[in-house]
């Protein structure tokens, strides 16, 4: 039987290795400057873009499974605790869809580089961070509702705090990102220097992105303790025999 509590841990490690490893590789290859590039800028050129895309695909699948397990966990709690309000079902279903759209956005970001398919890349980034933030808010609300049947009040407070920070960072990321590109006068945004214009907006935007991605990873990691009470068995397969009459 698979140890479900390891799922958030593995997902967390995959994303951290992807982000940090891609940044180090891109700096060593000279594809970006070390001063806080965007995560996607560090994954623009080959070979790091190939590694980034592969790991992001693996991470997005694991994240999707984690989100689905959380959905089924809350569903089981509702079925076994009649005192829970039916609103938890609506919140749980909405959280599932927001989470899965965020996973799809992560995959778009990893496979459609900004330099190749800009519009798809930006749509993916918006789905990733925007729907991901909505998912965090829904899970924070659910954490309060299902306490003390599952989880702790501390985890509910932590998730609420993470949701607030992600909302602020998402607004900063979007506003300063647009301002920096309007003021940019250089040749290559992957190598953004103070003399290129919009430098401070760029730094604020990229730092917001890095912090937000880190919070995303730790938010998923926060499900580890609650998943210790969850077990997942292999699905049963039934073979249907068909007889042929000649």
């Amino acid at each position: 039987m698979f140890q479900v509590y390891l799922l958030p841990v593995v997902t967390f490690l995959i994303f951290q290795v992807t982000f940090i490893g891609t940044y180090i590789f891109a700096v060593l290859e000279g594809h970006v400057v070390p001063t806080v590039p965007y995560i996607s800028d560090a994954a623009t050129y080959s070979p790091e873009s190939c590694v980034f895309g592969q790991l992001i695909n693996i991470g997005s699948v694991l994240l999707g499974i984690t989100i689905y397990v959380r959905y089924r966990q809350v569903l089981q709690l509702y079925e076994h605790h009649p005192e829970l309000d039916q609103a938890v079902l609506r919140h749980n279903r909405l959280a599932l869809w927001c989470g899965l759209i965020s996973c799809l956005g992560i995959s778009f970001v990893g496979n459609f580089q900004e330099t190749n398919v800009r519009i798809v890349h930006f749509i993916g980034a918006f789905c990733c961070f925007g729907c991901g933030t909505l998912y965090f808010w829904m899970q924070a609300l659910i954490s309060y509702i299902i306490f003390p049947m599952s989880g702790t009040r501390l985890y509910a407070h932590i998730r609420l705090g993470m949701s607030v920070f992600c909302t602020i960072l998402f607004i900063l990321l979007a506003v300063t990102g647009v301002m920096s590109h309007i003021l940019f006068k250089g040749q290559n945004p992957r190598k953004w220097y103070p003399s290129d214009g919009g430098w401070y907006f760029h730094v604020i935007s990229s730092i917001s992105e890095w912090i937000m991605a880190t919070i995303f990873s730790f938010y998923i990691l926060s499900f580890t303790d609650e998943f210790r009470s969850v077990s997942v068995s292999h699905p049963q397969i039934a073979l249907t025999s068909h007889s042929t009459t000649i």
Side-chain angles (χ1 to χ4, degrees):
M1 186 175 295
F2 177 71
Q3 301 297 323
V4 183
Y5 72 90
L6 294 176
L7 191 56
V9 177
V10 175
T11 305
F12 170 82
L13 292 175
I14 285 289
F15 281 120
Q16 290 305 300
V17 169
T18 302
F19 298 149
I20 298 174
T22 303
Y23 167 76
I24 294 174
F25 207 160
V27 171
L28 292 177
E29 289 289 320
H31 292 158
V32 296
V33 293
T35 48
V36 204
Y38 288 112
I39 296 174
S40 53
D41 284 347
T44 297
Y45 301 113
S46 179
E48 58 267 25
S49 63
C50 305
V51 178
F52 181 83
Q54 181 64 41
L55 291 177
I56 279 293
N57 286 336
I58 295 173
S60 61
V61 170
L62 291 176
L63 180 59
I65 296 173
T66 303
I67 288 169
Y68 180 72
V69 170
R70 175 64 173 178
Y71 165 77
R72 290 301 302 271
Q73 179 194 24
V74 175
L75 197 61
Q76 288 290 313
L77 286 171
Y78 175 79
E79 292 176 357
H80 289 83
H81 295 275
E83 67 271 21
L84 285 175
D85 191 89
Q86 194 173 7
V88 73
L89 291 179
R90 296 193 297 270
H91 300 329
N92 195 34
R93 194 177 300 112
L94 179 59
L96 173 67
W97 284 110
C98 288
L100 293 180
I101 293 173
S102 179
C103 292
L104 184 63
I106 294 172
S107 182
F108 280 178
V109 169
N111 293 283
F112 297 88
Q113 288 78 27
E114 182 183 351
T115 52
N116 297 326
V117 194
R118 179 182 294 266
I119 184 64
V120 178
H121 182 86
F122 286 145
I123 290 174
F126 179 82
C127 290
C128 168
F129 291 118
C131 293
T133 301
L134 289 175
Y135 176 77
F136 291 167
W137 277 106
M138 298 309 301
Q139 284 300 330
L141 177 60
I142 290 172
S143 298
Y144 282 107
I145 295 175
I146 64 176
F147 174 80
M149 282 81 75
S150 179
T152 64
R153 184 72 71 179
L154 176 61
Y155 274 120
H157 292 333
I158 290 174
R159 287 169 188 160
L160 178 61
M162 287 182 175
S163 302
V164 172
F165 275 114
C166 280
T167 303
I168 296 171
L169 290 169
F170 180 69
I171 296 172
L172 277 176
L173 170 63
V175 174
T176 57
V178 171
M179 291 297 298
S180 65
H181 280 83
I182 291 175
L183 298 174
F184 179 69
K185 305 301 180 184
Q187 299 297 321
N188 184 2
R190 257 61 61 190
K191 296 183 178 181
W192 201 314
Y193 297 101
S195 58
D196 292 331
W199 167 255
Y200 294 107
F201 287 115
H202 167 70
V203 170
I204 294 173
S205 181
S206 56
I207 289 177
S208 298
E209 183 187 47
W210 278 95
I211 296 176
M212 198 170 180
T214 303
I215 292 176
F216 268 46
S217 300
F218 277 101
Y219 199 107
I220 298 303
L221 188 63
S222 72
F223 292 133
T224 303
D225 283 342
E226 287 163 84
F227 278 13
R228 292 182 187 275
S229 60
V230 176
S231 62
V232 176
S233 302
H234 294 293
Q236 294 183 353
I237 304 296
L239 295 178
T240 305
S241 59
H242 298 277
S243 58
T244 304
T245 304
I246 299 178

